[in-house]
Amino acid sequence: MDLSTLPSFYALAVFVFCFRPLVRRAGQYTDVWFFGWAFLLIHYAVLLVPQKTGFAQVMWELLAVWSTELCALCFLWAASNGRPSRFNRIFVLELGVPVLLQSGLSFLWPGEVVLRSAAALLFLLPGIHLLMRRKYRTTPFEVLASVFALLGLVLVVFRAIDSYLVVGIVLGMIFVSAAYFTFVRAATVTLGVVLMIVGLVLWGITCPLQSIGVLDPMSILPRGLMELPRYVLAAGMILSFLDEYVTRQERLALHDPLTGLPNRRLFEERMDEAIAESARTGTPVACLVIDVDKFKYINDTFGHPVGDGLLQALAKRLSWNLGPRDMLARTGGDEFTAVIVEAADEYHVRFIAGAMMAAGCVPVSIKQHSIDVHISIGIALSPQDADGSNELHKAADDAMYRAKRHGGGVIAFAGEELPQIHMAPALHL
């Protein structure tokens, strides 16, 4: 029994217990991180079991190593959380088989060099799989497949390397590979991501050192220093998950969950900014209110799933003709609102609105139903129609209702008595 691991066991048990509620809120793949920590907890639990003798002791030591390797493989799987996810699982499985075989042979039959060489050749399998499945060939997977294929060849050529050292090197490479995936998959490099990368790299470096310590106990680093990477990784993971959770909650608060477009709150903020910028620069700002004609009839006839699909399709189509500084939002059930901040003049706005009308009125095929779509657009310009954001929005809204009163499928400008006719082209997707 190694009582020196008792503080680490208790600290990790508390962390895993507190980590579970965070996992439920942190999003996809966090369950796999949790399973990795659970395997590490098993590792410490095995070390606390009183020492046995003979074959039983060898099996307990192997179980401790296997639990650490499964922890590393879980971290690698979770870190490689890009698409395609099914290939991620296959890739980790193809690496896991030779990893677990190497450690099993090293503990059970350390003198069987031929078997260890045969197991090392299995590290070529991920690379062979990538060559056969070209659609899965992405740079991160190609890099790791090449590195582990080279490792397998080195282990075959240099058979005399101590088996315990081989286990430590392979285990360390998995942790470093997880750090590499964490870096390349990170959307933004935050403090949490940096700490995760540092923790995984340091953990990977300590694995060969621990193997050397098995051969020469005087050369091993102090236990506290060897445990440090785990605490760094845990701190980085908590910060990263909290950042992800807060970002997702902020997005949910400011975006429409059905279409992913900004909601009314975010649109009003953008409109206020655009009006303030217009007052400084003198550049006109256009507000467009877009409404789907007879949307209630579509919902009642084809069902709400079809109506939702129609709104999602329109959200994409209406965005095609907007610039990078413009914004399209869903501000009502079947109402979209756009702000154009770089409108050169009224003719420019008419051109954009006409393009949006043409894109939005093309029939849509949803759930084997062909839906004939018509939209009405109301437009107001600042400063000629209104100076404030609320007044500008109301002027565009009034123009849109005037367009609907003329039968829909038309564009109406604020201040114009008769809307311009822009009926949808008779095109089918």
Side-chain angles (χ1 to χ4, degrees), residues 11 20 31 35 61 83 99 107 118 169 195 213 215 242 255 289 298 301 305 318 328 332 342 368 377 405:
R20 186 57 184 172
D31 274 333
F35 288 133
E61 292 177 355
R83 293 182 179 181
V99 167
F107 277 84
I169 292 173
L195 289 178
L215 304 175
L242 287 176
H255 289 77
V289 176
I298 295 174
T301 304
L318 296 175
L328 176 70
E342 294 181 342
Q368 299 179 346
I377 302 179
R405 286 195 296 271

Side-chain angles (χ1 to χ4, degrees), residues 189-349:
V189 182
T190 62
L191 176 60
V193 171
V194 171
L195 289 178
M196 287 180 64
I197 294 172
V198 171
L200 288 168
V201 170
L202 292 178
W203 199 341
I205 294 174
T206 60
C207 290
L209 296 179
Q210 287 178 318
S211 300
I212 295 174
V214 173
L215 304 175
D216 182 9
M218 298 301 295
S219 64
I220 195 169
L221 296 175
R223 178 173 294 276
L225 193 58
M226 300 292 283
E227 299 286 348
L228 180 61
R230 295 160 174 77
Y231 296 111
V232 174
L233 175 61
M237 199 171 292
I238 291 174
L239 288 176
S240 181
F241 287 172
L242 287 176
D243 286 340
E244 181 182 345
Y245 176 73
V246 170
T247 301
R248 189 167 64 253
Q249 293 304 311
E250 289 178 347
R251 177 170 180 80
L252 289 175
L254 297 175
H255 289 77
D256 171 49
L258 176 64
T259 62
L261 293 176
N263 59 14
R264 179 179 292 273
R265 176 183 169 187
L266 184 56
F267 179 80
E268 290 175 350
E269 293 178 2
R270 183 69 185 101
M271 178 71 82
D272 291 337
E273 293 174 359
I275 293 294
E277 181 180 352
S278 175
R280 292 193 307 269
T281 62
T283 304
V285 172
C287 178
L288 286 69
V289 176
I290 306 155
D291 193 82
V292 183
D293 298 332
K294 299 180 181 180
F295 182 73
K296 184 177 184 303
Y297 171 79
I298 295 174
N299 257 344
D300 294 341
T301 304
F302 301 101
H304 289 281
V306 173
D308 290 345
L310 173 60
L311 293 176
Q312 291 171 336
L314 284 175
K316 294 180 180 178
R317 293 181 176 187
L318 296 175
S319 301
W320 289 345
N321 300 286
L322 297 179
R325 299 185 60 213
D326 302 333
M327 176 181 284
L328 176 70
R330 184 188 177 200
T331 52
D334 61 335
E335 180 183 281
F336 298 90
T337 310
V339 57
I340 301 176
V341 298
E342 294 181 342
D345 49 36
E346 180 179 325
Y347 298 101
H348 182 201
V349 177

Side-chain angles (χ1 to χ4, degrees), residues 113 116 155-163 166:
V113 179
R116 285 171 49 197
L155 294 179
V156 171
V157 174
F158 299 96
R159 302 180 182 181
I161 300 177
D162 182 83
S163 58
V166 170

